[in-house]
Amino acid sequence: MSQQVKIQLDGQDVELPLIEGSEGEKALDVSKLRAQSGYITYDGGFGNTGACQSGITFVQGEKGILRHRGYSIEGLCEHASFLEVAYLLIYGELPTQSELTAFMDEITQHTLIHEDLRRIYDALPKDAHPMAILSSVVCCLSTFYQDSLDYSNPDHVRLSIIRLLAKLPTIAAFTYKKSIGQPLIYPRNDLSYTANFLNMMFALPTESYHVDPDISEALDQLLILHGDHEQNCSTSTVRMVGSSHANLFASVSAGICALWGPLHGGANQAVLEMLQAIHEDGDDVEKYVNLAKDKTSDFRLMGFGHRVYKNFDPRAQIIKSSVDKVLNKLGVKDPLLGIARKLEEIALNDEYFSQRKLYPNVDFYSGIIYRALGFPSDMFTVLFSIGRLPGWIAQWKEMMEDQSRIARPRQIYTGSTERDYVPIDQRS
Ligand code: CMC
C-alpha cells in the first residue's frame, strides 16, 4: 500500500497518496482531490506541479545535475554523437553499434523532403521568421506523409520519428537558403547528420564546400546539449497537443512555436541582440545590468536565470568551456564575447542576481558559437529546435505509451457571476 498524507479541508480528512521518484523527489498525488473534497489545486506557472511521471531526463536544479536515462550530460557530450543521444532518449538505452548504424542509415535515407513541399517556401514572405516557417513546414509533413500518422500503430510511429529526425535539418537549411535568395542545397547522404546540415546551410552549387570535422563536432555537441530538458514549456506543449492524440508532426510543430518565445528557446537570439545593442551603445555593461535590476523597466538580462537551475546550468558550463576552442579554430575574434564575459562577471558579483539565484543559462554563450559558425541570429532558435527534437519525440512517445488522459487543466473562475442579458439599446 502506498504512503498517504492526511490533510483537513472544511473539517474533513482527505487522504492523498505520496509518490516518490527514483531520485527521491516527493510528490503529493492530487488526482482524486476534487472528487474527494471539491477542491482543486492552484499553481500558476506550474512551478510545483508534476504533470507526468517520466523516465527520460533527470534535472536537479540545486546541484546543477542533468542526466538522460541515467547518463550525465557531461559524459554524453564527451563520448556520444547527437544521433546516439537521440536514440538513447527515444528508445531508452544506448544503441549497440549495429542498432546505431541501422538508425543512422534509415535517417539518411529520409533526408529529402517531398518536392511539392518545397513550393510552400515560395508562398511565404522571404523575411518571415525561420521559426514560423519551420513550424508551418513541420505541420505540413502531416499532409505529405499521411501513411504514418496513426499514433497507436508502432510502425507509423517509428516511420514518423525517422522522417522527422531526417527532414528537420533539410527544412531548416531550406528556410535559410530561401531567405537569402540562394539555391537550395540538397542533402548529401555521404555526410554525417551534422556535416550534412552544415553543407546544406553553407554550400553553393558553384563551388566546393569543405565541412571542417572539428566544427561539425562542435555543432554536434551543441545539439546534444539541447537534446531534452524534461517538462519545459515546449516539451509540455508537445505533450499537451499529443494528449489529444494529435499526430507527431502536429505536436512537434506546436512545440516549435512554444520554443520560439524569448523566455524559452528564443532567448538565444535575444542574447545576441542584447550583446549587440550593448556594443553599439559603447560597451557600457553596467548600464544594462542596472537596467535589468530596475523594476520600473521590463528589461531582463537575456540568457540569465532558469526556473529549475538555481546554482548553475551544467549546459552553460560546457558551452562556455568550448567557446574559446571554436573561436580559435575559426580564427574569429568577436567583441561580443568580451561583453558577455564582463556581463557575467558583474552580474555574478551583484546581490540582485545572487539573491535571486540568477546564473547564465544554456542560451548565454551558445549564440556566440553559432555566430562564429556563420549562422544569422534568427536561425539560432532553429538550431535549438533541431537539438530538442529527440526530446520532444521521446516525451511524445512516452506519453502515448502511458495512455495518459487528455491534458485538460481546470481553472479558478474570477469573472462575473450570472447576470441577465441586456438588449443593445439599453446598454450604457
Ligand atoms: N534578468 C533580470 N531579472 C530576472 C531575470 C533576468 N534574466 N530572470 C529573473 N529575474 C528576476 C525576476 O524579475 C524576479 O524578480 P522579483 O522576485 O524581484 O520579482 C525573479 O528574478 C524571479 O523571476 P521569475 O520570472 O519568477 O522566474 P521564472 O522561473 O518564472 O523565469 C526565466 C525563468 C528563465 C523565464 C527567467 O529567468 C528569464 O526571463 N530569463 C531571461 C530569458 C532566458 O534567458 N530564457 C532562457 C531560459 S533557459 C533555456 C530555455 O528554457 O529555453
Side-chain angles (χ1 to χ4, degrees):
M1 178 111 162
S2 68
Q3 236 187 312
Q4 310 270 328
V5 287
K6 211 180 270 183
I7 57 167
Q8 274 220 331
L9 288 171
D10 298 335
Q12 273 196 334
D13 284 349
V14 180
E15 293 212 338
L16 300 173
L18 274 182
I19 302 178
E20 188 162 341
S22 55
E23 291 280 0
E25 328 77 345
K26 295 181 178 57
L28 285 177
D29 178 353
V30 294
S31 52
K32 303 272 181 318
L33 178 66
R34 187 169 180 275
Q36 283 179 25
S37 66
Y39 278 76
I40 61 168
T41 56
Y42 174 66
D43 184 20
F46 306 123
N48 301 283
T49 297
C52 60
Q53 297 191 39
S54 176
I56 302 169
T57 290
F58 173 64
V59 178
Q60 217 287 13
E62 281 71 29
K63 294 187 184 149
I65 293 172
L66 168 59
R67 292 189 207 124
H68 298 314
R69 307 281 191 187
Y71 298 101
S72 77
I73 190 65
E74 291 81 3
L76 290 172
C77 268
E78 195 178 336
H79 303 294
S81 68
F82 175 62
L83 285 187
E84 203 176 337
V85 175
Y87 187 102
L88 171 72
L89 287 165
I90 297 167
Y91 297 108
E93 295 296 337
L94 285 169
T96 61
Q97 186 57 61
S98 62
E99 285 167 338
L100 183 60
T101 305
F103 184 60
M104 287 172 17
D105 284 353
E106 212 180 354
I107 288 174
T108 305
Q109 281 157 27
H110 285 272
T111 48
L112 281 171
I113 59 171
H114 194 290
E115 278 296 294
D116 290 345
L117 188 54
R118 281 184 42 186
R119 299 219 307 267
I120 289 169
Y121 291 90
D122 295 332
L124 299 169
K126 259 179 71 170
D127 60 351
H129 195 284
M131 287 297 277
I133 301 180
L134 197 73
S135 164
S136 311
V137 179
V138 165
C139 197
C140 279
L141 292 176
S142 55
T143 67
F144 284 87
Y145 302 101
Q146 296 181 36
D147 58 343
S148 65
L149 299 183
D150 181 357
Y151 79 93
S152 64
N153 179 328
D155 291 336
H156 282 212
V157 170
R158 202 192 55 79
L159 185 55
S160 57
I161 289 173
I162 295 290
R163 280 176 166 156
L164 250 184
L165 287 166
K167 294 178 199 307
L168 195 67
T170 313
I171 295 169
F174 280 14
T175 302
Y176 172 62
K177 286 295 195 188
K178 198 76 200 165
S179 74
I180 55 169
Q182 284 187 2
L184 306 183
I185 300 293
Y186 280 89
R188 267 185 44 193
N189 289 358
D190 59 320
L191 295 175
S192 72
Y193 190 79
T194 317
N196 173 49
F197 175 58
L198 286 167
N199 188 66
M200 288 189 291
M201 281 289 302
F202 300 119
L204 285 170
T206 43
E207 52 194 63
S208 65
Y209 173 80
H210 169 70
V211 182
D212 184 322
D214 288 345
I215 296 310
S216 163
E217 202 179 302
L219 182 58
D220 207 69
Q221 191 189 65
L222 282 166
L223 296 181
I224 294 175
L225 284 170
H226 290 87
D228 189 48
H229 213 245
E230 51 121 303
Q231 306 313 315
N232 55 82
C233 178
S234 57
T235 302
S236 300
T237 302
V238 171
R239 278 185 175 258
M240 171 77 89
V241 174
S243 79
S244 72
H245 292 171
N247 68 68
L248 181 61
F249 302 130
S251 305
V252 166
S253 164
I256 292 170
C257 290
L259 188 74
W260 187 6
L263 296 188
H264 190 13
N268 57 13
Q269 176 178 347
V271 170
L272 207 95
E273 287 167 357
M274 175 187 77
L275 296 174
Q276 188 69 42
I278 298 175
H279 186 46
E280 282 163 17
D281 196 17
D283 295 352
D284 189 352
V285 172
E286 270 183 61
K287 175 175 158 189
Y288 286 84
V289 171
N290 289 334
L291 195 60
K293 291 166 20 180
D294 180 355
K295 291 292 169 195
T296 61
S297 123
D298 58 6
F299 175 79
R300 286 187 166 200
L301 274 196
M302 299 313 286
F304 258 75
H306 197 274
R307 172 63 63 79
V308 182
Y309 292 122
K310 297 300 173 198
N311 273 316
F312 65 94
D313 178 339
R315 303 166 301 173
Q317 293 204 327
I318 297 172
I319 295 178
K320 189 179 171 187
S321 67
S322 71
V323 174
D324 281 332
K325 214 172 98 193
V326 178
L327 266 59
N328 285 342
K329 169 84 200 182
L330 292 164
V332 170
K333 288 200 181 359
D334 190 342
L336 301 193
L337 178 58
I339 297 175
R341 289 207 170 110
K342 202 166 161 202
L343 197 66
E344 180 183 2
E345 193 194 317
I346 296 178
L348 291 184
N349 290 307
D350 189 300
E351 221 177 54
Y352 173 95
F353 292 89
S354 55
Q355 270 177 0
R356 289 170 179 76
K357 299 186 186 301
L358 301 170
Y359 298 89
N361 59 46
V362 66
D363 294 317
F364 192 65
Y365 283 106
S366 60
I368 290 178
I369 301 187
Y370 294 147
R371 181 166 127 116
L373 295 177
F375 291 95
S377 61
D378 63 359
M379 283 294 289
F380 292 179
T381 318
V382 170
L383 291 163
F384 196 151
S385 309
I386 297 175
R388 183 54 53 87
L389 181 62
W392 288 332
I393 293 172
Q395 302 269 351
W396 182 92
K397 184 169 170 286
E398 181 180 66
M399 183 194 60
M400 293 307 194
E401 287 165 0
D402 278 355
Q403 298 194 320
S404 302
R405 301 163 75 198
I406 187 167
R408 202 304 186 183
R410 287 189 176 266
Q411 63 166 15
I412 295 156
Y413 175 69
T414 58
S416 302
T417 51
E418 188 176 17
R419 44 188 177 158
D420 291 332
Y421 178 80
V422 182
I424 198 158
D425 56 351
Q426 292 169 31
R427 292 176 211 160
S428 48

